[in-house]
Amino acid sequence: METLEQNIAIVKSKIGEAAAKSGRSPEEIHLVAVTKTVPPETVQKAVNLGITLLGENRVQEAGEKVDIVRGNVQWHLIGHLQKNKVKPAIKLFSMIQSLDSLGLAEEIEKRAGEIRRVMDVLIQINIGREETKSGIDADDAVEFIKKVSQLPHIKIKGLMAIPPFKEDPEEVRYYFRKMNDIFQNIKMMQIENVEMNFLSMGMTHDFGIAIEEGSNMVRIGTGIFGKRK
Ligand SMILES: *Cc1c(COP(=O)(O)O)cnc(C)c1O
């Protein structure tokens, strides 16, 4: 087996283990292969091996790959989006996982409206209250979601978070748990035009714990494609 195939198999088996620990089946966990810095030929190989969701954190880099990679794939934007990149982003991505301000939501509304599409988004929560990270404060999440839910060309599909990095991923469990609490709470509120389908959290070094704590969408780069240069 080639490395890429092996890596995907290992990631999938870990997803299965963690899903079982949280009483779920592996099919409930969506795997987003994060392709930043990965050349399109390698992305294509991953797609040929069955990967269907691809994550990029830059609009321009995605633009260089989206038309080249063939197959039944969807691209998700997982990095911070600047307002002046919204227009191309809406054409490239099936989901923006990183909605983090009302100004950005209004720009997405405007640009999506222009081409009559409804843009799926996740709300990014800055769960560790880190100054270096974008995202909505957990305490403001409900109010923010209620405002965005009024915009007809945006559909909220869930939440995303990048918790603080800890050498020992066990220390991140607390943040994942907190995210799941917020997610379940908002789901129960049944806000009109808001679906809480996806809880996107967990990267290569902590996705097992993220899944144990309720994540149903993990974003894996290194674990699939190897170390980035
Ligand atoms: C790069 C990136 C990932 C993947 O990180 P790995 O540690 O390589 O798995 C996940 N989410 C976001 C937002 C990223 O920028």
Side-chain angles (χ1 to χ4, degrees):
M1 254 203 288
E2 284 208 42
T3 317
L4 187 60
E5 190 174 7
Q6 256 168 3
N7 288 351
I8 292 172
I10 291 166
V11 165
K12 284 194 172 165
S13 112
K14 283 186 185 162
I15 287 175
E17 274 172 42
K21 276 195 193 171
S22 64
R24 291 175 297 165
S25 82
E27 295 84 61
E28 290 175 62
I29 317 297
H30 303 269
L31 170 60
V32 179
V34 176
T35 55
K36 62 187 181 217
T37 77
V38 178
E41 311 81 65
T42 311
V43 179
Q44 185 67 63
K45 281 187 190 151
V47 170
N48 297 347
L49 290 165
I51 294 290
T52 57
L53 290 174
L54 302 168
E56 275 285 340
N57 63 350
R58 292 210 180 136
V59 176
Q60 188 178 334
E61 195 181 334
E64 291 160 10
K65 299 175 195 174
V66 167
D67 288 336
I68 300 175
V69 176
R70 300 277 153 209
N72 176 27
V73 291
Q74 294 191 342
W75 294 81
H76 287 192
L77 180 66
I78 59 173
H80 175 68
L81 177 57
Q82 287 172 326
K83 277 196 230 169
N84 62 357
K85 303 269 173 64
V86 168
K87 201 176 165 179
I90 280 175
K91 296 202 177 105
L92 293 168
F93 296 102
S94 66
M95 186 183 276
I96 294 170
Q97 292 204 6
S98 47
L99 179 56
D100 57 9
S101 77
L102 206 53
L104 178 61
E106 282 161 356
E107 184 65 18
I108 294 171
E109 169 60 27
K110 181 175 149 203
R111 297 300 183 182
E114 281 171 6
I115 58 166
R116 293 194 173 77
R117 79 166 281 194
V118 176
M119 190 71 220
D120 287 346
V121 303
L122 303 183
I123 308 302
Q124 184 173 349
I125 306 292
N126 187 353
I127 194 65
R129 297 211 160 107
E130 294 170 282
E131 277 181 25
T132 51
K133 283 188 184 138
S134 49
I136 305 297
D137 191 278
D139 290 344
D140 304 329
V142 171
E143 194 191 347
F144 179 78
I145 286 171
K146 282 182 177 165
K147 280 184 188 150
V148 176
S149 72
Q150 313 271 318
L151 304 173
H153 297 93
I154 294 182
K155 181 80 182 183
I156 297 173
K157 294 276 189 176
L159 305 179
M160 185 271 247
I162 310 168
F165 178 84
K166 307 276 180 190
E167 216 45 70
D168 176 4
E170 270 299 333
E171 289 177 36
V172 191
R173 189 182 289 278
Y174 164 82
Y175 296 100
F176 291 141
R177 198 169 285 178
K178 227 165 120 177
M179 275 303 297
N180 194 31
D181 286 345
I182 298 164
F183 181 76
Q184 299 299 342
N185 179 38
I186 295 171
K187 191 183 232 174
M188 274 193 304
M189 292 172 81
Q190 296 190 315
I191 301 165
E192 200 176 328
N193 194 33
V194 173
E195 288 173 9
M196 281 292 126
N197 294 339
F198 302 112
L199 179 55
S200 171
M201 56 187 195
M203 310 181 4
T204 296
H205 97 295
D206 58 13
F207 70 92
I209 289 167
I211 293 168
E212 285 173 33
E213 296 301 331
S215 166
N216 64 8
M217 184 173 270
V218 292
R219 309 178 308 265
I220 317 280
T222 315
I224 292 176
F225 297 107
K227 254 202 156 104
R228 286 181 292 274
K229 271 162 221 121

